[in-house]
Short mmCIF file of all heavy atoms in Angstrom, two decimals:
data_model
loop_
_atom_site.label_atom_id
_atom_site.label_comp_id
_atom_site.label_asym_id
_atom_site.label_seq_id
_atom_site.Cartn_x
_atom_site.Cartn_y
_atom_site.Cartn_z
N MET A 24 -10.41 -2.71 2.09
CA MET A 24 -9.34 -3.47 2.73
C MET A 24 -8.00 -2.84 2.39
O MET A 24 -7.84 -2.19 1.36
CB MET A 24 -9.35 -4.91 2.25
CG MET A 24 -10.39 -5.76 2.94
SD MET A 24 -10.11 -7.51 2.75
CE MET A 24 -10.80 -7.78 1.14
N ILE A 25 -7.06 -3.05 3.29
CA ILE A 25 -5.70 -2.56 3.11
C ILE A 25 -4.74 -3.61 3.65
O ILE A 25 -5.06 -4.32 4.61
CB ILE A 25 -5.51 -1.20 3.82
CG1 ILE A 25 -4.14 -0.60 3.51
CG2 ILE A 25 -5.73 -1.32 5.31
CD1 ILE A 25 -3.96 0.84 3.98
N LYS A 26 -3.59 -3.74 3.01
CA LYS A 26 -2.59 -4.70 3.48
C LYS A 26 -1.89 -4.13 4.71
O LYS A 26 -1.73 -2.92 4.86
CB LYS A 26 -1.57 -4.98 2.39
CG LYS A 26 -2.11 -5.76 1.23
CD LYS A 26 -1.00 -6.03 0.24
CE LYS A 26 -1.52 -6.71 -1.00
NZ LYS A 26 -0.45 -6.88 -1.98
N LEU A 27 -1.42 -5.03 5.55
CA LEU A 27 -0.78 -4.65 6.80
C LEU A 27 0.42 -3.73 6.57
O LEU A 27 0.56 -2.70 7.23
CB LEU A 27 -0.35 -5.89 7.58
CG LEU A 27 0.33 -5.68 8.92
CD1 LEU A 27 -0.53 -4.83 9.85
CD2 LEU A 27 0.66 -7.01 9.57
N ASP A 28 1.28 -4.06 5.62
CA ASP A 28 2.45 -3.21 5.39
C ASP A 28 2.05 -1.82 4.90
O ASP A 28 2.63 -0.81 5.31
CB ASP A 28 3.47 -3.87 4.46
CG ASP A 28 2.94 -4.23 3.09
OD1 ASP A 28 1.71 -4.18 2.87
OD2 ASP A 28 3.76 -4.56 2.22
N GLN A 29 1.02 -1.75 4.08
CA GLN A 29 0.53 -0.46 3.60
C GLN A 29 -0.06 0.36 4.75
O GLN A 29 0.09 1.58 4.80
CB GLN A 29 -0.51 -0.65 2.51
CG GLN A 29 0.05 -1.24 1.24
CD GLN A 29 -1.04 -1.61 0.24
OE1 GLN A 29 -2.18 -1.87 0.62
NE2 GLN A 29 -0.68 -1.63 -1.03
N PHE A 30 -0.73 -0.32 5.66
CA PHE A 30 -1.33 0.34 6.81
C PHE A 30 -0.25 0.99 7.68
O PHE A 30 -0.40 2.12 8.12
CB PHE A 30 -2.15 -0.67 7.62
CG PHE A 30 -2.91 -0.09 8.77
CD1 PHE A 30 -4.03 0.70 8.55
CD2 PHE A 30 -2.53 -0.34 10.08
CE1 PHE A 30 -4.75 1.24 9.62
CE2 PHE A 30 -3.24 0.19 11.14
CZ PHE A 30 -4.35 0.98 10.91
N LEU A 31 0.84 0.27 7.91
CA LEU A 31 1.94 0.82 8.72
C LEU A 31 2.55 2.03 8.04
O LEU A 31 2.90 3.01 8.70
CB LEU A 31 3.00 -0.25 8.96
CG LEU A 31 2.57 -1.45 9.80
CD1 LEU A 31 3.70 -2.46 9.90
CD2 LEU A 31 2.10 -1.02 11.18
N LYS A 32 2.68 1.99 6.73
CA LYS A 32 3.19 3.15 5.99
C LYS A 32 2.21 4.31 6.08
O LYS A 32 2.60 5.45 6.29
CB LYS A 32 3.45 2.79 4.53
CG LYS A 32 4.71 1.98 4.34
CD LYS A 32 5.02 1.55 2.93
CE LYS A 32 4.37 2.30 1.83
NZ LYS A 32 4.68 1.78 0.49
N PHE A 33 0.93 4.03 5.96
CA PHE A 33 -0.11 5.07 6.03
C PHE A 33 -0.08 5.77 7.38
O PHE A 33 -0.22 6.99 7.46
CB PHE A 33 -1.48 4.45 5.76
CG PHE A 33 -2.60 5.45 5.73
CD1 PHE A 33 -2.88 6.16 4.59
CD2 PHE A 33 -3.37 5.66 6.86
CE1 PHE A 33 -3.91 7.09 4.56
CE2 PHE A 33 -4.41 6.59 6.85
CZ PHE A 33 -4.68 7.31 5.68
N LEU A 34 0.13 5.01 8.44
CA LEU A 34 0.18 5.57 9.79
C LEU A 34 1.43 6.41 10.01
O LEU A 34 1.48 7.23 10.91
CB LEU A 34 0.17 4.46 10.84
CG LEU A 34 -1.13 3.72 11.09
CD1 LEU A 34 -0.89 2.55 12.02
CD2 LEU A 34 -2.18 4.65 11.66
N GLY A 35 2.46 6.17 9.20
CA GLY A 35 3.73 6.86 9.38
C GLY A 35 4.65 6.14 10.35
O GLY A 35 5.71 6.65 10.71
N ILE A 36 4.25 4.95 10.77
CA ILE A 36 5.07 4.16 11.69
C ILE A 36 6.30 3.63 10.95
O ILE A 36 7.39 3.56 11.51
CB ILE A 36 4.26 2.99 12.28
CG1 ILE A 36 3.17 3.56 13.19
CG2 ILE A 36 5.13 2.02 13.04
CD1 ILE A 36 2.19 2.55 13.69
N ALA A 37 6.10 3.25 9.70
CA ALA A 37 7.20 2.77 8.86
C ALA A 37 7.29 3.69 7.64
O ALA A 37 6.35 3.77 6.86
CB ALA A 37 6.92 1.34 8.42
N PRO A 38 8.40 4.40 7.49
CA PRO A 38 8.52 5.33 6.37
C PRO A 38 8.62 4.65 5.00
O PRO A 38 8.29 5.26 3.99
CB PRO A 38 9.79 6.11 6.69
CG PRO A 38 10.54 5.30 7.68
CD PRO A 38 9.53 4.45 8.40
N THR A 39 9.06 3.39 4.99
CA THR A 39 9.18 2.67 3.72
C THR A 39 8.55 1.30 3.83
O THR A 39 8.37 0.77 4.94
CB THR A 39 10.66 2.48 3.32
OG1 THR A 39 11.28 1.60 4.26
CG2 THR A 39 11.40 3.80 3.26
N GLY A 40 8.26 0.71 2.69
CA GLY A 40 7.72 -0.64 2.67
C GLY A 40 8.70 -1.65 3.24
O GLY A 40 8.33 -2.61 3.90
N GLY A 41 10.00 -1.42 2.97
CA GLY A 41 11.03 -2.32 3.48
C GLY A 41 11.09 -2.31 5.00
O GLY A 41 11.24 -3.35 5.63
N GLN A 42 10.94 -1.14 5.57
CA GLN A 42 10.96 -1.05 7.03
C GLN A 42 9.70 -1.69 7.62
O GLN A 42 9.77 -2.36 8.65
CB GLN A 42 11.07 0.41 7.48
CG GLN A 42 11.39 0.52 8.94
CD GLN A 42 11.89 1.91 9.31
OE1 GLN A 42 11.87 2.83 8.52
NE2 GLN A 42 12.33 2.06 10.54
N ALA A 43 8.56 -1.51 6.96
CA ALA A 43 7.32 -2.16 7.42
C ALA A 43 7.49 -3.67 7.39
O ALA A 43 7.10 -4.37 8.32
CB ALA A 43 6.15 -1.73 6.54
N LYS A 44 8.10 -4.17 6.32
CA LYS A 44 8.33 -5.62 6.18
C LYS A 44 9.18 -6.14 7.33
O LYS A 44 8.87 -7.17 7.93
CB LYS A 44 9.01 -5.90 4.84
CG LYS A 44 9.37 -7.33 4.61
CD LYS A 44 10.09 -7.50 3.28
CE LYS A 44 10.58 -8.91 3.09
NZ LYS A 44 11.33 -9.08 1.84
N LEU A 45 10.25 -5.42 7.66
CA LEU A 45 11.13 -5.86 8.75
C LEU A 45 10.40 -5.86 10.08
O LEU A 45 10.57 -6.78 10.89
CB LEU A 45 12.36 -4.96 8.83
CG LEU A 45 13.40 -5.14 7.73
CD1 LEU A 45 14.50 -4.11 7.87
CD2 LEU A 45 13.96 -6.55 7.75
N MET A 46 9.60 -4.85 10.34
CA MET A 46 8.84 -4.78 11.59
C MET A 46 7.91 -5.99 11.70
O MET A 46 7.79 -6.59 12.77
CB MET A 46 8.02 -3.50 11.64
CG MET A 46 8.83 -2.24 11.81
SD MET A 46 7.82 -0.76 11.72
CE MET A 46 6.91 -0.91 13.25
N ILE A 47 7.26 -6.32 10.60
CA ILE A 47 6.31 -7.44 10.60
C ILE A 47 7.04 -8.76 10.77
O ILE A 47 6.66 -9.59 11.62
CB ILE A 47 5.46 -7.41 9.32
CG1 ILE A 47 4.60 -6.14 9.30
CG2 ILE A 47 4.60 -8.66 9.21
CD1 ILE A 47 3.98 -5.82 7.95
N ILE A 48 8.10 -8.97 10.00
CA ILE A 48 8.86 -10.22 10.07
C ILE A 48 9.47 -10.42 11.46
O ILE A 48 9.54 -11.54 11.97
CB ILE A 48 9.95 -10.26 8.98
CG1 ILE A 48 9.30 -10.42 7.61
CG2 ILE A 48 10.94 -11.38 9.23
CD1 ILE A 48 10.25 -10.28 6.45
N ASN A 49 9.89 -9.32 12.09
CA ASN A 49 10.51 -9.40 13.43
C ASN A 49 9.49 -9.64 14.54
O ASN A 49 9.86 -9.78 15.70
CB ASN A 49 11.30 -8.14 13.72
CG ASN A 49 12.57 -8.05 12.90
OD1 ASN A 49 13.10 -9.05 12.46
ND2 ASN A 49 13.04 -6.84 12.69
N GLY A 50 8.21 -9.66 14.22
CA GLY A 50 7.18 -9.92 15.22
C GLY A 50 6.82 -8.70 16.06
O GLY A 50 6.31 -8.84 17.17
N ASP A 51 7.09 -7.50 15.52
CA ASP A 51 6.81 -6.27 16.26
C ASP A 51 5.37 -5.78 16.10
O ASP A 51 5.00 -4.77 16.69
CB ASP A 51 7.75 -5.15 15.79
CG ASP A 51 9.22 -5.47 16.06
OD1 ASP A 51 9.49 -6.22 17.02
OD2 ASP A 51 10.07 -4.97 15.32
N VAL A 52 4.58 -6.49 15.30
CA VAL A 52 3.22 -6.04 14.99
C VAL A 52 2.22 -7.13 15.35
O VAL A 52 2.43 -8.31 15.04
CB VAL A 52 3.10 -5.70 13.48
CG1 VAL A 52 1.71 -5.23 13.15
CG2 VAL A 52 4.14 -4.66 13.08
N LYS A 53 1.15 -6.71 16.02
CA LYS A 53 0.07 -7.64 16.34
C LYS A 53 -1.20 -7.19 15.63
O LYS A 53 -1.46 -6.00 15.49
CB LYS A 53 -0.21 -7.67 17.84
CG LYS A 53 0.89 -8.27 18.67
CD LYS A 53 0.51 -8.29 20.13
CE LYS A 53 1.63 -8.86 20.97
NZ LYS A 53 1.28 -8.86 22.40
N VAL A 54 -1.98 -8.17 15.20
CA VAL A 54 -3.30 -7.89 14.64
C VAL A 54 -4.30 -8.63 15.52
O VAL A 54 -4.20 -9.85 15.68
CB VAL A 54 -3.41 -8.35 13.17
CG1 VAL A 54 -4.83 -8.13 12.64
CG2 VAL A 54 -2.40 -7.61 12.29
N ASN A 55 -5.21 -7.88 16.10
CA ASN A 55 -6.21 -8.44 17.01
C ASN A 55 -5.57 -9.23 18.14
O ASN A 55 -6.05 -10.29 18.55
CB ASN A 55 -7.22 -9.29 16.24
CG ASN A 55 -7.95 -8.49 15.19
OD1 ASN A 55 -8.22 -7.31 15.36
ND2 ASN A 55 -8.23 -9.11 14.06
N GLY A 56 -4.44 -8.71 18.65
CA GLY A 56 -3.77 -9.32 19.79
C GLY A 56 -2.85 -10.47 19.49
O GLY A 56 -2.24 -11.04 20.39
N VAL A 57 -2.70 -10.84 18.21
CA VAL A 57 -1.86 -11.97 17.82
C VAL A 57 -0.73 -11.46 16.92
O VAL A 57 -0.98 -10.70 15.98
CB VAL A 57 -2.69 -13.03 17.07
CG1 VAL A 57 -1.83 -14.19 16.64
CG2 VAL A 57 -3.85 -13.51 17.93
N VAL A 58 0.50 -11.90 17.21
CA VAL A 58 1.63 -11.49 16.37
C VAL A 58 1.37 -11.93 14.94
O VAL A 58 1.01 -13.08 14.68
CB VAL A 58 2.95 -12.11 16.89
CG1 VAL A 58 4.09 -11.83 15.93
CG2 VAL A 58 3.29 -11.57 18.27
N GLU A 59 1.54 -10.99 14.01
CA GLU A 59 1.30 -11.25 12.59
C GLU A 59 2.60 -11.09 11.83
O GLU A 59 3.25 -10.05 11.94
CB GLU A 59 0.25 -10.28 12.04
CG GLU A 59 -0.08 -10.48 10.59
CD GLU A 59 -0.59 -11.88 10.28
OE1 GLU A 59 -1.70 -12.22 10.71
OE2 GLU A 59 0.15 -12.64 9.61
N THR A 60 3.01 -12.13 11.10
CA THR A 60 4.26 -12.08 10.36
C THR A 60 4.05 -12.06 8.85
O THR A 60 5.01 -12.15 8.10
CB THR A 60 5.17 -13.27 10.74
OG1 THR A 60 4.47 -14.49 10.49
CG2 THR A 60 5.60 -13.19 12.20
N ARG A 61 2.81 -11.93 8.42
CA ARG A 61 2.51 -11.86 6.97
C ARG A 61 2.27 -10.39 6.61
O ARG A 61 1.26 -9.81 7.01
CB ARG A 61 1.27 -12.68 6.62
CG ARG A 61 1.43 -14.16 6.91
CD ARG A 61 0.13 -14.87 6.72
NE ARG A 61 -0.80 -14.44 7.77
CZ ARG A 61 -2.11 -14.63 7.74
NH1 ARG A 61 -2.67 -15.25 6.73
NH2 ARG A 61 -2.88 -14.20 8.72
N ARG A 62 3.17 -9.82 5.84
CA ARG A 62 3.02 -8.40 5.50
C ARG A 62 1.85 -8.15 4.57
O ARG A 62 1.30 -7.07 4.53
CB ARG A 62 4.31 -7.84 4.90
CG ARG A 62 4.64 -8.41 3.56
CD ARG A 62 5.93 -7.84 3.06
NE ARG A 62 6.22 -8.40 1.75
CZ ARG A 62 6.83 -7.77 0.80
NH1 ARG A 62 7.23 -6.55 0.98
NH2 ARG A 62 7.05 -8.36 -0.35
N GLY A 63 1.44 -9.16 3.82
CA GLY A 63 0.32 -9.03 2.90
C GLY A 63 -1.02 -9.30 3.54
O GLY A 63 -2.04 -9.33 2.86
N ARG A 64 -1.04 -9.48 4.86
CA ARG A 64 -2.30 -9.74 5.57
C ARG A 64 -3.28 -8.61 5.26
O ARG A 64 -2.97 -7.44 5.42
CB ARG A 64 -2.02 -9.81 7.07
CG ARG A 64 -3.21 -9.59 7.99
CD ARG A 64 -4.06 -10.84 8.12
NE ARG A 64 -5.25 -10.59 8.89
CZ ARG A 64 -5.39 -10.89 10.19
NH1 ARG A 64 -4.41 -11.45 10.85
NH2 ARG A 64 -6.52 -10.63 10.80
N LYS A 65 -4.46 -8.98 4.79
CA LYS A 65 -5.47 -7.97 4.47
C LYS A 65 -6.25 -7.63 5.72
O LYS A 65 -6.76 -8.51 6.41
CB LYS A 65 -6.38 -8.49 3.36
CG LYS A 65 -5.64 -8.59 2.05
CD LYS A 65 -6.55 -8.99 0.92
CE LYS A 65 -5.77 -8.94 -0.37
NZ LYS A 65 -5.83 -10.14 -1.13
N LEU A 66 -6.32 -6.35 6.00
CA LEU A 66 -7.02 -5.88 7.18
C LEU A 66 -8.43 -5.43 6.81
O LEU A 66 -8.64 -4.88 5.74
CB LEU A 66 -6.28 -4.68 7.79
CG LEU A 66 -4.82 -4.95 8.19
CD1 LEU A 66 -4.16 -3.64 8.62
CD2 LEU A 66 -4.74 -5.98 9.30
N VAL A 67 -9.36 -5.67 7.71
CA VAL A 67 -10.73 -5.17 7.54
C VAL A 67 -10.97 -4.09 8.58
O VAL A 67 -10.18 -3.91 9.52
CB VAL A 67 -11.77 -6.31 7.67
CG1 VAL A 67 -11.60 -7.32 6.54
CG2 VAL A 67 -11.67 -7.01 9.01
N SER A 68 -12.04 -3.36 8.44
CA SER A 68 -12.28 -2.17 9.27
C SER A 68 -12.29 -2.46 10.77
O SER A 68 -11.92 -1.61 11.57
CB SER A 68 -13.57 -1.48 8.86
OG SER A 68 -14.67 -2.35 9.03
N SER A 69 -12.68 -3.65 11.18
CA SER A 69 -12.78 -3.95 12.61
C SER A 69 -11.46 -4.43 13.22
O SER A 69 -11.37 -4.59 14.44
CB SER A 69 -13.87 -5.00 12.85
OG SER A 69 -13.55 -6.19 12.15
N ASP A 70 -10.44 -4.66 12.40
CA ASP A 70 -9.15 -5.15 12.92
C ASP A 70 -8.45 -4.09 13.77
O ASP A 70 -8.56 -2.89 13.50
CB ASP A 70 -8.22 -5.55 11.77
CG ASP A 70 -8.61 -6.88 11.14
OD1 ASP A 70 -9.24 -7.71 11.81
OD2 ASP A 70 -8.26 -7.08 9.96
N GLN A 71 -7.73 -4.58 14.78
CA GLN A 71 -6.92 -3.70 15.62
C GLN A 71 -5.46 -4.08 15.45
O GLN A 71 -5.10 -5.25 15.59
CB GLN A 71 -7.32 -3.82 17.08
CG GLN A 71 -8.69 -3.25 17.36
CD GLN A 71 -8.99 -3.21 18.84
OE1 GLN A 71 -8.55 -4.06 19.59
NE2 GLN A 71 -9.74 -2.20 19.26
N VAL A 72 -4.64 -3.10 15.14
CA VAL A 72 -3.21 -3.31 14.93
C VAL A 72 -2.46 -2.68 16.10
O VAL A 72 -2.69 -1.52 16.43
CB VAL A 72 -2.76 -2.68 13.60
CG1 VAL A 72 -1.25 -2.84 13.40
CG2 VAL A 72 -3.51 -3.31 12.42
N THR A 73 -1.57 -3.46 16.71
CA THR A 73 -0.80 -2.97 17.85
C THR A 73 0.68 -2.91 17.48
O THR A 73 1.25 -3.90 17.01
CB THR A 73 -0.97 -3.89 19.08
OG1 THR A 73 -2.36 -4.04 19.35
CG2 THR A 73 -0.26 -3.34 20.29
N VAL A 74 1.28 -1.73 17.70
CA VAL A 74 2.70 -1.53 17.45
C VAL A 74 3.25 -0.71 18.63
O VAL A 74 2.70 0.34 18.96
CB VAL A 74 2.94 -0.76 16.13
CG1 VAL A 74 4.43 -0.60 15.87
CG2 VAL A 74 2.27 -1.45 14.96
N ASP A 75 4.31 -1.20 19.24
CA ASP A 75 4.92 -0.51 20.38
C ASP A 75 3.91 -0.15 21.46
O ASP A 75 3.95 0.93 22.04
CB ASP A 75 5.65 0.76 19.91
CG ASP A 75 6.86 0.46 19.05
OD1 ASP A 75 7.47 -0.62 19.23
OD2 ASP A 75 7.19 1.29 18.20
N GLY A 76 2.98 -1.04 21.71
CA GLY A 76 1.98 -0.83 22.76
C GLY A 76 0.84 0.10 22.39
O GLY A 76 -0.07 0.30 23.17
N LYS A 77 0.88 0.66 21.18
CA LYS A 77 -0.19 1.55 20.72
C LYS A 77 -1.13 0.75 19.83
O LYS A 77 -0.70 0.02 18.94
CB LYS A 77 0.39 2.73 19.95
CG LYS A 77 1.25 3.62 20.80
CD LYS A 77 1.84 4.74 20.00
CE LYS A 77 2.79 5.55 20.87
NZ LYS A 77 3.64 6.43 20.09
N VAL A 78 -2.43 0.92 20.07
CA VAL A 78 -3.44 0.18 19.34
C VAL A 78 -4.14 1.11 18.35
O VAL A 78 -4.57 2.21 18.71
CB VAL A 78 -4.48 -0.44 20.30
CG1 VAL A 78 -5.54 -1.20 19.52
CG2 VAL A 78 -3.81 -1.34 21.31
N PHE A 79 -4.22 0.66 17.11
CA PHE A 79 -4.89 1.42 16.05
C PHE A 79 -6.00 0.56 15.46
O PHE A 79 -5.75 -0.58 15.05
CB PHE A 79 -3.91 1.77 14.94
CG PHE A 79 -2.69 2.53 15.41
CD1 PHE A 79 -1.54 1.86 15.79
CD2 PHE A 79 -2.72 3.91 15.50
CE1 PHE A 79 -0.43 2.55 16.23
CE2 PHE A 79 -1.61 4.61 15.94
CZ PHE A 79 -0.46 3.94 16.31
N THR A 80 -7.21 1.08 15.44
CA THR A 80 -8.32 0.37 14.81
C THR A 80 -8.37 0.84 13.36
O THR A 80 -8.38 2.05 13.09
CB THR A 80 -9.65 0.68 15.52
OG1 THR A 80 -9.52 0.27 16.90
CG2 THR A 80 -10.80 -0.09 14.87
N VAL A 81 -8.39 -0.09 12.44
CA VAL A 81 -8.33 0.24 11.01
C VAL A 81 -9.45 1.21 10.63
O VAL A 81 -9.20 2.20 9.94
CB VAL A 81 -8.41 -1.05 10.16
CG1 VAL A 81 -8.49 -0.73 8.67
CG2 VAL A 81 -7.21 -1.95 10.44
N GLU A 82 -10.63 0.98 11.13
CA GLU A 82 -11.78 1.82 10.81
C GLU A 82 -11.57 3.28 11.22
O GLU A 82 -12.00 4.20 10.53
CB GLU A 82 -13.02 1.26 11.51
CG GLU A 82 -14.29 2.01 11.23
CD GLU A 82 -15.47 1.33 11.90
OE1 GLU A 82 -15.42 1.11 13.13
OE2 GLU A 82 -16.43 1.02 11.18
N ASP A 83 -10.88 3.50 12.35
CA ASP A 83 -10.64 4.85 12.83
C ASP A 83 -9.59 5.59 12.01
O ASP A 83 -9.58 6.81 11.96
CB ASP A 83 -10.19 4.83 14.30
CG ASP A 83 -11.29 4.34 15.23
OD1 ASP A 83 -12.47 4.36 14.82
OD2 ASP A 83 -10.96 3.93 16.36
N VAL A 84 -8.71 4.84 11.35
CA VAL A 84 -7.61 5.44 10.60
C VAL A 84 -7.96 5.60 9.13
O VAL A 84 -7.69 6.63 8.53
CB VAL A 84 -6.33 4.59 10.76
CG1 VAL A 84 -5.20 5.15 9.93
CG2 VAL A 84 -5.93 4.50 12.22
N ILE A 85 -8.57 4.59 8.55
CA ILE A 85 -8.91 4.59 7.12
C ILE A 85 -10.39 4.84 6.98
O ILE A 85 -11.20 4.01 7.38
CB ILE A 85 -8.56 3.23 6.45
CG1 ILE A 85 -7.13 2.83 6.75
CG2 ILE A 85 -8.84 3.28 4.96
CD1 ILE A 85 -6.08 3.67 6.09
N GLN A 86 -10.76 5.97 6.39
CA GLN A 86 -12.17 6.26 6.23
C GLN A 86 -12.47 6.72 4.84
O GLN A 86 -11.78 7.26 4.14
CB GLN A 86 -12.61 7.30 7.24
CG GLN A 86 -12.52 6.76 8.63
CD GLN A 86 -13.04 7.75 9.67
OE1 GLN A 86 -13.73 8.70 9.36
NE2 GLN A 86 -12.70 7.51 10.91
#
């Protein structure tokens, strides 16, 4: 498992944890099609994260 804010940093979408936090709080991130505002949300391999219309499956990114 990985936290949502860490996942955004890993992808390079957010260069810092602070920027990841702002993206999440502002409602710019969806998990499984639903806006997620908890930066500590734990993701599992089957979760899909959407940012700026791009969809990332956790399993495809973290191996």
Side-chain angles (χ1 to χ4, degrees):
M24 280 197 279
I25 186 170
K26 290 182 185 176
L27 181 56
D28 59 348
Q29 293 172 335
F30 185 72
L31 295 177
K32 284 178 20 183
F33 183 83
L34 286 173
I36 293 172
T39 67
Q42 193 164 7
K44 176 183 175 182
L45 287 175
M46 290 175 70
I47 295 166
I48 289 172
N49 289 336
D51 298 332
V52 180
K53 292 182 181 179
V54 176
N55 300 326
V57 179
V58 173
E59 181 58 70
T60 57
R61 298 173 292 165
R62 67 181 180 147
R64 160 80 185 261
K65 291 185 175 127
L66 302 173
V67 295
S68 61
S69 60
D70 284 335
Q71 291 188 327
V72 177
T73 306
V74 182
D75 293 331
K77 296 178 184 166
V78 180
F79 304 91
T80 301
V81 175
E82 182 176 55
D83 294 341
V84 177
I85 309 290
Q86 294 184 16

